[in-house]
Amino acid sequence: MTTKSKTTLPKTALSILDLSPVSAGASGPQALRNTLDLARLADSLGYVRYWVAEHHNMPAIASSAPDIMIGQIAAVTSAIRVGSGGVMLPNHAPLMVAERFKVLEALYPGRIDLGLGRAPGTDPATSYLLRRRQGISEEDDFIDRFNELMLLETRGFPPGHPFHKVRAMPADVPLPPIFLLGSSDYSAQLAGRIGAPFSFAHHFATFDAGEAMRLYRDNFQPSSRFAEPYAILGTAVVCADTDEEAEILASAADLHFVRRGKGEYLPLASPEEAAAYAYTPEDRARLAQYRTRLTVGGPDKVKARLDALLAETQAQELMVTTMVYSHAARRRSYELLAQLYA
């Protein structure tokens, strides 16, 4: 896939990162059904991609098995690309990742993306449970796993190597396009060096998004699949018909952030519960920092903020995640965004 520069894109490419949020009083199955419903809407609105995340042991997030959800989403949509945002490679054997995504690519050719992450997407104990039958290492083995994935795809293991005759099935189907996800300078540079598209997680990163994108482009080396850098900016947005309504909706995200900082992993609170919460001065100081990574408002305010981010990062694509209590409000937020960038 040869990417286009930002200046040649007729409009900003708009995509969705969905964590399948679980609201207080609702259930995990309902959150997953909401994902399917939102994917259908995104498909009809012309969104470019719909990615689902991999998180574990988090009561507010039902998205723990992206490969399964990708198949379900692709089955109920027709045009939108569907992928992982991402598969956390430390949790999985590369051969298993290759085979699962080859199956998806075989069923939905030209519509699947394989986004890879370097982190486990969970706490240390859960990470241990995910990996204990693979061999535990204190070292960051992402590069080793990535190289193994690529060697399986290219049949690059030399004669005599134990894996030389191993083929990921179905063997006559290529892996879908691979994207590297990250939130740091290291991830940005790594994505450039391996010649992969890069998706920067501005919604939780502490590293500057503009600098990350610059490092990515400066370090980009063309690969067999990608001749030019392609940058996706992942960011959190709550958009409503008015600024006031958006602020009410965003209160659930505010409280979720504060609670996570205290080790409290609970479903998304309602605006009423969030309004009644007794924030400490320390909570409010942390929230002020968090709000620099969250865009909240009516269409005009949101458009101005997102346009500034796009200008700063020169990202070719905007991938939005929206964590609010109401599924109807989440649908409306994405409808308004689609209108802004139509």
Side-chain angles (χ1 to χ4, degrees):
M1 181 172 113
T2 300
T3 61
K4 300 178 181 179
S5 67
K6 183 176 184 291
T7 57
T8 60
L9 283 174
K11 61 180 181 179
T12 298
L14 198 60
S15 297
I16 291 175
L17 171 64
D18 187 5
L19 278 62
S20 301
V22 181
S23 297
S27 66
Q30 184 60 56
L32 297 174
R33 287 192 290 270
N34 287 344
T35 284
L36 297 179
D37 176 68
L38 184 60
R40 292 187 192 96
L41 176 66
D43 196 33
S44 70
L45 292 173
Y47 278 81
V48 174
R49 298 176 214 282
Y50 198 103
W51 283 5
V52 287
E54 178 187 343
H55 289 284
H56 304 278
N57 197 30
M58 293 186 180
I61 297 174
S63 183
S64 60
D67 52 334
I68 294 176
M69 287 304 295
I70 288 168
Q72 296 294 311
I73 294 166
V76 298
T77 55
S78 60
I80 197 168
R81 295 190 66 91
V82 189
S84 55
V87 165
M88 300 294 105
L89 196 53
N91 300 337
H92 306 282
L95 176 59
M96 186 65 73
V97 173
E99 293 197 325
R100 289 176 178 177
F101 277 80
K102 279 174 174 280
V103 167
L104 289 167
E105 180 68 19
L107 293 171
Y108 307 100
R111 292 186 57 209
I112 305 299
D113 296 327
L114 173 51
L116 297 175
R118 293 175 48 237
T122 189
D123 58 272
T126 308
S127 176
Y128 178 87
L129 282 173
L130 288 164
R131 297 188 61 178
R132 67 176 179 169
R133 296 191 185 278
Q134 300 179 49
I136 303 298
S137 172
E138 295 298 323
E139 302 296 324
D140 181 352
D141 63 355
F142 175 85
I143 289 296
D144 291 340
R145 288 173 182 249
F146 179 80
N147 286 338
E148 186 173 308
L149 180 65
M150 292 297 94
L151 289 169
L152 285 166
E153 174 67 359
T154 61
R155 304 203 68 194
F157 287 106
H161 192 284
F163 300 160
H164 176 65
K165 294 183 179 181
V166 177
R167 302 188 70 180
M169 299 296 175
D172 55 347
V173 176
L175 277 177
I178 293 176
F179 296 71
L180 186 63
L181 285 59
S183 59
S184 68
D185 54 341
Y186 176 79
S187 295
Q189 294 175 77
L190 177 60
R193 288 197 296 268
I194 65 177
F198 179 52
S199 179
F200 183 74
H202 172 260
H203 51 293
F204 64 80
T206 56
F207 193 77
D208 180 71
E211 178 65 7
M213 295 305 196
R214 184 190 67 78
L215 288 169
Y216 166 58
R217 292 189 178 92
D218 287 351
N219 285 272
F220 187 83
Q221 299 176 20
S223 61
S224 59
R225 286 195 177 190
F226 293 90
E228 301 172 5
Y230 189 83
I232 300 174
L233 179 68
T235 192
V237 178
V238 177
C239 188
D241 290 282
T242 66
D243 292 350
E244 294 76 17
E245 183 185 355
E247 285 292 337
I248 293 171
L249 294 172
S251 63
D254 290 342
L255 182 52
H256 180 64
F257 173 77
V258 166
R259 283 174 164 170
R260 282 190 61 176
K262 299 176 179 180
E264 300 172 4
Y265 295 90
L266 301 172
L268 286 178
S270 67
E272 292 76 17
E273 182 181 354
Y277 189 82
Y279 289 101
T280 67
E282 292 78 11
D283 292 337
R284 296 197 180 279
R286 294 187 71 245
L287 267 179
Q289 180 62 32
Y290 166 67
R291 276 300 190 101
T292 65
R293 304 192 298 271
L294 173 65
T295 298
V296 180
D300 291 343
K301 187 175 181 179
V302 164
K303 183 68 159 54
R305 171 59 178 155
L306 293 180
D307 283 352
L309 279 172
L310 288 167
E312 176 190 354
T313 61
Q314 292 295 293
Q316 288 114 312
E317 188 172 325
L318 191 64
M319 181 169 281
V320 173
T321 185
T322 299
M323 296 281 281
V324 293
Y325 176 78
S326 163
H327 180 60
R330 196 160 67 115
R331 283 176 54 99
R332 180 59 178 160
S333 184
Y334 285 116
E335 287 174 344
L336 291 170
L337 280 173
Q339 293 170 15
L340 291 177
Y341 289 97

